[in-house]
Amino acid sequence: MRLSVLDLVPVRSDQTTSDALAATVHLAQTADELGYTRYWVAEHHNMPAVAATSPPVVLAYLAAQTRQLRLGSGGVMLPNHAPLAVAEQFALLEAAAPGRVDLGIGRAPGSDPVTSMALRGAAGRDDSDIENFPQYLDDVAALMSTSGVRVAVRSRGLLDQNYVLKATPAASSEPRLWLLGSSLYSAHLAAAKGLPYVFAHHFSGQGTEEALATYRSEFRPSDVAAAPVTFMTVNASVAPTREEAMDLMLPNLHMMAFLRTGQPLRALDLVEDAKRVELSFQQEAVVDAGLERAIVGSPTEAADQVRELATHFGVDEVMVNPVGSAFHGVDPRLAPARDQTLELLAKELF
C-alpha cells in the first residue's frame, strides 16, 4: 500500500506561524525518509489554526528540503486565482523539481465570504467564476503544457491567430493535474475530463462511496489518465496507546466542532487545555462523527483501520492528515505527535 500525507500547516496555541512552518518542514522530511509517496499542502485563509494560505510558496520551501516526495496542492482553490497565475506558479515548481509536482485543484473558496472578497481584490471575481470552473480547469492545463495556448488577438482590425500564451517559456515536463472534491459535482467533472480524482473524506465523510463509484463508472480516458486514478484523505492520530492517540486528536476534533457550529475559531489547543473544554450537545455530535471516519489508535489498530478503509473504498493509496496536537512543554518548532503518526504507520504498513 502507498501512504501519502496531507498538511494544513496547523498552528497550536504555543506556536507562531514561523514555528508551525518549521514543524511542517520536519514532518515533510520525516515523510521523505520513511518512503511516503506524496506530500500535499492545503489552501485555507484567515483561520487562526491553519497557516497553509499559499500552497505554491510552501511547496517551493519544501522542495528545497526534501529529496523524493511528490509535492502538491491539496488543493489550490481555483475560484480565488486567475488560471494563468496558478499555471505559472506550478510550471515553475515543476521546473524546479521535475517529476515531483502535483497540482490538485478544488472549487471551494477555502475561506469566509469577507476573506474571499479581499483575496480576489478590487477587480473582483464573483459567483460566475464557480460556473466557469470547468473552463478555468481546462485553461490551467493548457497553459502549463509544453506547447501553450494559441489565442486569437484582434489588432488594428486584423485577427491574429498566432499569439501563443505559455505559463513558462520552455517547459520540459508538466505537473500532474488532480481534481479534488467533497461532492458528486467533482466526481462527475473529474470523470468527464478524465482526470485523477481525490475525495476529501477527512473533511466530509458523507457520500465518499457514492462519489468514488460515480467517478469510476463515468470515467472517460484522456491524455492525462487512461483509467480511473483515485485515492482518499483521512485524519489520523497514532500513538503507542489508543488513549494517547485519542488525547492528541482531541484539539483537532474540537476545532472542527467549533467550525461546524459557528463558534469563534482559535489556534489549536494543547492537549491539557482541550481536556478542560466543555462542549455542547451539537459539538459532541461533530466530535463523534469525526472519530467515526478517522484513523485513531495504537499502531496495530491504526494499520488495520487503514487497510480496512483502503479495501472498503477500493484504493491502493491513502493520504493521512496527521492531526495530533501536543502536550505542554513540547518544542514549538516541532510536532512530535504528527511525526509519530507517520513513523508508527510506516512501521506497520511498509
Side-chain angles (χ1 to χ4, degrees):
M1 178 182 296
R2 293 193 301 274
L3 287 179
S4 293
V5 181
L6 175 65
D7 188 2
L8 277 62
V9 192
V11 183
R12 306 189 307 257
S13 61
D14 64 334
Q15 290 178 312
T16 64
T17 301
S18 179
D19 293 332
L21 282 171
T24 273
V25 170
H26 193 272
L27 186 70
Q29 290 173 335
T30 298
D32 200 29
E33 292 167 3
L34 291 171
Y36 280 73
T37 300
R38 64 189 90 237
Y39 194 102
W40 282 10
V41 179
E43 177 187 340
H44 293 283
H45 302 278
N46 200 34
M47 296 182 69
V50 179
T53 55
S54 180
V57 172
V58 179
L59 294 174
Y61 191 51
L62 296 180
Q65 301 180 79
T66 56
R67 295 179 295 106
Q68 59 188 14
L69 278 173
R70 289 196 65 91
L71 298 166
S73 56
V76 165
M77 300 296 104
L78 191 52
N80 294 335
H81 312 284
L84 178 57
V86 174
E88 287 180 334
Q89 291 161 358
F90 279 81
L92 276 178
L93 283 171
E94 175 67 20
R100 293 179 59 197
V101 177
D102 294 327
L103 170 53
I105 288 180
R107 189 171 65 112
S111 61
D112 61 84
V114 175
T115 306
S116 291
M117 289 182 63
L119 185 66
R120 295 173 188 183
R125 301 183 70 193
D126 54 34
D127 290 341
S128 66
D129 291 302
I130 300 296
E131 298 173 8
N132 294 329
F133 179 76
Q135 181 59 54
Y136 292 157
L137 194 61
D138 291 343
D139 292 343
V140 170
L143 288 163
M144 290 191 306
S145 68
T146 55
S147 57
V149 180
R150 290 193 180 276
V151 181
V153 178
R154 188 172 292 278
S155 177
R156 298 178 182 178
L158 300 175
L159 191 63
D160 182 0
Q161 302 278 3
N162 296 313
Y163 188 91
V164 177
L165 189 58
K166 288 185 174 185
T168 196
S172 58
S173 59
E174 302 168 21
R176 184 82 185 273
L177 190 62
W178 295 75
L179 186 60
L180 318 182
S182 57
S183 70
L184 283 176
Y185 173 91
S186 55
H188 290 302
L189 184 60
K193 293 187 176 296
L195 291 174
Y197 174 60
V198 181
F199 189 85
H201 185 74
H202 77 285
F203 178 77
S204 175
Q206 299 294 319
T208 306
E209 197 160 6
E210 184 180 6
L212 294 181
T214 297
Y215 168 68
R216 289 168 175 143
S217 66
E218 297 181 3
F219 183 85
R220 299 177 184 174
S222 70
D223 292 340
V224 178
V229 180
T230 188
F231 61 83
M232 60 193 308
T233 59
V234 61
N235 291 332
S237 177
V238 188
T241 67
R242 179 174 178 81
E243 181 180 10
E244 183 181 348
M246 289 282 290
D247 285 347
L248 289 164
M249 180 174 263
L250 192 61
N252 178 268
L253 293 168
H254 284 185
M255 181 182 69
M256 290 305 302
F258 299 148
L259 178 65
R260 301 280 190 180
T261 56
Q263 300 302 304
L265 300 180
R266 62 195 191 207
L268 203 65
D269 282 340
L270 296 173
V271 172
E272 295 92 336
D273 300 327
K275 294 177 81 168
R276 290 193 292 267
V277 172
E278 293 186 6
L279 300 179
S280 68
F281 176 80
Q282 292 83 359
Q283 290 166 344
E284 289 284 6
V286 174
V287 167
D288 291 342
L291 279 173
E292 285 181 9
R293 64 174 181 269
I295 302 300
V296 56
S298 67
T300 302
E301 289 175 314
D304 287 343
Q305 291 167 27
V306 171
R307 293 188 190 99
E308 182 179 349
L309 191 75
T311 299
H312 180 78
F313 291 107
V315 296
D316 57 10
E317 180 176 342
V318 174
M319 177 172 277
V320 297
N321 176 24
V323 296
S325 183
F327 295 97
H328 279 272
V330 165
D331 185 343
R333 297 180 66 80
L334 295 175
R338 304 182 75 214
D339 293 337
Q340 177 178 250
T341 289
L342 300 191
E343 291 163 354
L344 295 179
L345 279 178
K347 286 180 180 178
E348 293 289 328
L349 293 170
F350 290 165

